[in-house]
Structure formats: structure tokens, C-alpha cells
Amino acid sequence: MSGDMTGPHAKDTTADTTAEAAAAARKVRRAERRAERRAHADYTGGVYGSMLATSVVIGAGTLGSFPRTELVLLLLLTSVVFWVAHVHAQLFGARLAQRALDRRVVLRVCREEWPIVKAAVPPAAAVAVSPLLGLDVRGALWLALSVAVAGQVGWSVAAARRVGASRKLMAITASVNLLLGLLIVSFKIFLTH
């Protein structure tokens, strides 16, 4: 028997090799898609959403005793409205000039802007659980503010880390976002005194 691979064994070997190559190619494409999603991940919406949540809490806090349920709804619904506005701006702004809209593009933009809504969830949850912590409405507002500012710092550090920033740059972005958050909180102090 020479090294000639003819007959039924040759087909099995070729079929196995082709199937393995196809599986490897699918695995590579999946890894490339994951890497592309990570590369395009943008936490700007999270930072923006956290600042928006802080602003909503401050605005609600200046109205006096604002019921918790209404504040939770205000936080969540405002973030959804701003999310829709950002999606609309992305789809009908720069993207429309670059390519035609299709379902895939719309879903991708919706996903990219979703951190705006995600950033409002922790402050809203803080307000919702504040009675369990024994906090009055004023305490709930301060808890929500603290959570929103912490979220703003967290989103900015996550964004810097995602793009491979140095620790020094991550510390700088955290500091800048903390200062911005504290500036917004100082508005609350100024407005209520």
C-alpha cells in the first residue's frame, strides 16, 4: 500500500478537513465580531446618562418633597427620551449621509446609545430602596446623587480602560468626572440654600 489516498478514506479525510476549516473560519469570524464590538464600545452615553440622572435628581429635589415613585419614573423615562433623541440624531445625522438605513444599522445604534438608559437605573434603584435604608425623601435624593456621580466616574474609567489608557489617564478621567459631578451637586446645594 503506497501513500495513495484514493477510495472512501480520501473523501472522509477531505470532508473532515473541510468541516474543520469551516468551523475554524466561523470561530475566527465570531472572535472578529466580538473584537469589533469591543473596539466600538463607547461609554460616552453612560457618562452622559449619569450626568443626566444627576441633573434630574437635582431638578426634582428643588421642587420640594417629590414622591419616590415619581422620581424613579422621572429618572427612567427621561433617560429613555434622551436615548431616543440620541438614536435619532445618530441615525438621521451623520450616519444618514454615510449609508442607507437598514435594520442592522438601527439596532446597532440603539445598542450603542443604550448606556444612557443603563446609567439611570442605579440612581433610580437607590431611590426605590431608600425606604429600606430608613431614608426620608431628602436622604433618598442625596443617595441618588451619590450613586449617579459614582456611576459617572465608573463609566468614564470603564471607557478609558476599554481603549487601553494608562492608569494615570484613568485617574485623570476619574478626577475630571468626579469634579464635574461635584459641580452639579454644588448646584443643588446652592439652589436649596
Side-chain angles (χ1 to χ4, degrees), residues 16-34:
D16 289 346
T17 304
T18 303
E20 289 171 4
R26 283 191 301 273
K27 188 175 181 179
V28 167
R29 283 192 302 271
R30 279 194 303 271
E32 288 172 348
R33 283 192 301 268
R34 280 193 304 270

Side-chain angles (χ1 to χ4, degrees), residues 76-193:
L76 297 175
L77 294 175
T78 301
S79 69
V80 169
V81 168
F82 274 78
W83 171 71
V84 170
H86 275 248
V87 168
H88 179 267
Q90 287 291 324
L91 291 175
F92 296 100
R95 292 185 190 262
L96 188 61
Q98 295 172 0
R99 68 169 73 145
L101 291 178
D102 62 20
R103 184 173 187 252
R104 194 180 86 244
V105 171
V106 171
L107 291 175
R108 187 177 75 241
V109 171
C110 288
R111 196 171 41 251
E112 288 171 356
E113 297 297 331
W114 190 245
I116 293 171
V117 176
K118 287 171 62 175
V121 172
V127 171
V129 301
S130 64
L132 301 174
L133 301 173
L135 298 175
D136 61 3
V137 173
R138 185 177 171 163
L141 291 171
W142 280 108
L143 177 62
L145 278 175
S146 301
V147 169
V149 171
Q152 180 181 334
V153 171
W155 281 103
S156 68
V157 170
R161 186 171 184 216
R162 176 64 61 113
V163 297
S166 67
R167 288 179 189 235
K168 181 180 178 182
L169 189 55
M170 284 191 277
I172 290 170
T173 191
S175 299
V176 167
N177 277 281
L178 179 59
L179 287 173
L180 289 171
L182 293 176
L183 181 63
I184 295 171
V185 170
S186 71
F187 295 155
K188 176 174 176 38
I189 294 169
F190 176 74
L191 290 172
T192 56
H193 286 93

Side-chain angles (χ1 to χ4, degrees), residues 3-99:
D4 183 17
M5 291 295 289
T6 56
H9 295 295
K11 287 183 183 178
D12 289 342
T13 303
T14 303
D16 289 346
T17 304
T18 303
E20 289 171 4
R26 283 191 301 273
K27 188 175 181 179
V28 167
R29 283 192 302 271
R30 279 194 303 271
E32 288 172 348
R33 283 192 301 268
R34 280 193 304 270
E36 183 179 334
R37 280 194 301 271
R38 279 193 305 271
H40 288 96
D42 184 1
Y43 295 132
T44 306
V47 173
Y48 178 77
S50 295
M51 290 182 85
L52 174 66
T54 303
S55 300
V56 167
V57 172
I58 287 173
T62 61
L63 298 175
S65 295
F66 208 83
R68 293 173 219 260
T69 303
E70 290 179 20
L71 180 54
V72 168
L73 289 172
L74 185 61
L75 280 163
L76 297 175
L77 294 175
T78 301
S79 69
V80 169
V81 168
F82 274 78
W83 171 71
V84 170
H86 275 248
V87 168
H88 179 267
Q90 287 291 324
L91 291 175
F92 296 100
R95 292 185 190 262
L96 188 61
Q98 295 172 0
R99 68 169 73 145

